[in-house]
Amino acid sequence: MPVKCRFCERPAFIKLHYPKMYLCPEHFMEYFERKVKRTIERYKLLRPDERVLVVVSGGKDSAVTAHVLKKLGYSIECLHINLGIGEYSKKSEEYAKRQCRGLAPLHIVRVKELLGKGIGEVRTRRPTCSYCGLTKRYIFNKFAYDNGFDAIATGHNLDDEASFILANLMNWNTQYLAKQGPLLPGEGRFVKKIKPLYELTEREVVAYALASGIEYHMEECPHAAGATTLEYKSILNDMEEKRPGTKINFVKGYLRKKKLFEAELEEYELGKCSVCGMPAQGERCSFCRFWGRSEELKL
Ligand code: Q46
Ligand code: ZN
Ligand code: ZN
């Protein structure tokens, strides 16, 4: 006899471990969307009238974020940044287009066309993921700022957050630990950043994509191989298996204790980038410095 959904007669589609229950696809989707709504309310991520830019990578997390925000009635538009990483980026863009069709307007920015080189093609001592992150963050923030969006939503889920916090704890990166969370408030030219999937596990996001028929790029970026965050994810998954609730309790505990790290924040004066006007520690911001910009990027 198949196990039944906790709320109806239909067969179960997923077993949730924390809280423990079996749900059919419809009741699981309802549970998932309610959880996103609660996250938005609990952490005061959005007001109903705010314009949201969802950064869609072609993967599951951002596609699910866009889908659920739209379903909850928010006014969204999407931005895909094509990183110029060969076949991987080509496929990612195709998925992003497919995911946004009929859902929301999609804007596309291609790093190679914009900056002359794709991610992974720059000769530098800086690790690829480090300047990739810097480039992505700069582009989506600038795009949102120039186009008057109130918030930028990304698809980070509970597993991403828990592994990021653990990795930074292992290295005692207190500067990072002081600034994480579901909401990074906007300030000046920095647009507010929100993570609506903050309390949902990767497994739940995969299940939601499956239940709602969202297709996504399953391949990992070729530069992700060997990333230590993947190791931390697997450690946390083992712990979660033995003690359900480990990840959410770890992340919530961190949010309660974040003040301890804030006390360590180094105060430094931020000036203005002489090229683009963004906040900068030196004469130019890190993006303009890395890409050797002498004029402002036009998106
Ligand atoms: S940072 Fe690194 Fe990712 Fe950029 S280079 Fe690929 S793995 S895409 S999330
Ligand atoms: Zn049901
Ligand atoms: Zn700059």
Side-chain angles (χ1 to χ4, degrees):
M1 266 279 279
V3 184
K4 276 189 198 155
C5 168
R6 160 114 170 238
F7 301 108
C8 71
E9 292 302 307
R10 275 170 292 196
F13 151 81
I14 185 170
K15 178 189 178 189
L16 298 182
H17 303 294
Y18 191 81
K20 200 171 160 195
M21 59 180 160
Y22 291 90
L23 295 174
C24 70
E26 284 72 18
H27 282 112
F28 170 68
M29 283 164 72
E30 215 180 285
Y31 154 88
F32 190 100
E33 289 154 13
R34 212 179 321 120
K35 220 164 157 186
V36 174
K37 189 165 180 267
R38 236 182 28 216
T39 301
I40 295 174
E41 289 165 359
R42 178 177 295 151
Y43 300 108
K44 299 189 174 55
L45 303 188
L46 282 175
R47 289 193 314 269
D49 58 331
E50 287 186 303
R51 279 183 72 218
V52 189
L53 182 70
V54 186
V55 185
V56 289
S57 64
K60 62 183 185 320
D61 303 289
S62 48
V64 167
T65 304
H67 194 93
V68 176
L69 285 180
K70 178 78 190 256
K71 214 161 169 188
L72 293 176
Y74 289 98
S75 151
I76 63 160
E77 290 186 27
C78 298
L79 171 68
H80 175 72
I81 304 175
N82 181 314
L83 301 168
I85 307 176
E87 255 324 280
Y88 169 77
S89 290
K90 225 186 256 170
K91 273 200 209 148
S92 300
E93 185 179 317
E94 280 165 22
Y95 273 102
K97 282 183 183 157
R98 215 177 302 161
Q99 290 162 351
C100 294
R101 208 166 290 148
L103 183 77
L106 171 67
H107 308 274
I108 297 177
V109 171
R110 298 190 183 93
V111 170
K112 204 162 178 168
E113 288 172 14
L114 203 67
L115 299 161
K117 282 194 169 108
I119 301 296
E121 295 176 352
V122 182
R123 277 176 128 225
T124 170
R125 247 183 280 162
R126 200 171 170 150
T128 308
C129 289
S130 149
Y131 77 83
C132 175
L134 161 92
T135 306
K136 282 193 283 196
R137 282 192 299 276
Y138 183 89
I139 291 176
F140 65 62
N141 184 73
K142 185 156 200 327
F143 188 93
Y145 180 77
D146 289 351
N147 293 289
F149 285 93
D150 301 297
I152 298 165
T154 56
H156 295 92
N157 60 44
L158 180 62
D159 295 45
D160 296 324
E161 295 305 302
S163 61
F164 188 78
I165 296 165
L166 182 58
N168 281 299
L169 273 174
M170 293 297 279
N171 294 297
W172 293 110
N173 281 334
T174 49
Q175 297 295 311
Y176 279 112
L177 289 163
K179 287 187 289 195
Q180 293 309 308
L183 169 72
L184 300 180
E187 205 189 327
R189 283 170 172 253
F190 286 125
V191 179
K192 161 168 92 170
K193 309 212 173 44
I194 60 164
K195 298 170 184 168
L197 305 186
Y198 198 79
E199 295 197 355
L200 287 145
T201 63
E202 195 158 304
R203 181 172 169 267
E204 288 170 326
V205 179
V206 171
Y208 187 89
L210 186 68
S212 51
I214 296 173
E215 288 179 46
Y216 59 92
H217 196 185
M218 289 192 193
E219 246 169 73
E220 283 272 11
C221 166
H223 298 287
T228 43
T229 41
L230 296 181
E231 278 173 47
Y232 290 120
K233 274 192 181 175
S234 123
I235 293 169
L236 285 162
N237 278 337
D238 288 348
M239 292 177 71
E240 181 79 29
E241 183 84 12
K242 283 185 213 133
R243 293 177 204 84
T246 295
K247 290 178 204 169
I248 189 71
N249 291 328
F250 176 54
V251 167
K252 283 193 169 170
Y254 157 74
L255 291 176
R256 278 195 301 274
K257 298 287 178 193
K258 202 171 119 182
K259 277 192 208 74
L260 298 174
F261 302 110
E262 283 169 5
E264 289 239 336
L265 255 187
E266 281 164 17
E267 293 287 336
Y268 44 79
E269 284 277 309
L270 280 183
K272 233 180 168 189
C273 172
S274 61
V275 177
C276 72
M278 283 298 288
Q281 253 177 288
E283 194 245 329
R284 283 186 292 172
C285 70
S286 41
F287 175 85
C288 291
R289 213 177 323 130
F290 181 81
W291 288 99
R293 304 286 307 171
S294 53
E295 53 185 277
E296 190 182 336
L297 190 70
K298 291 273 173 277
L299 291 174

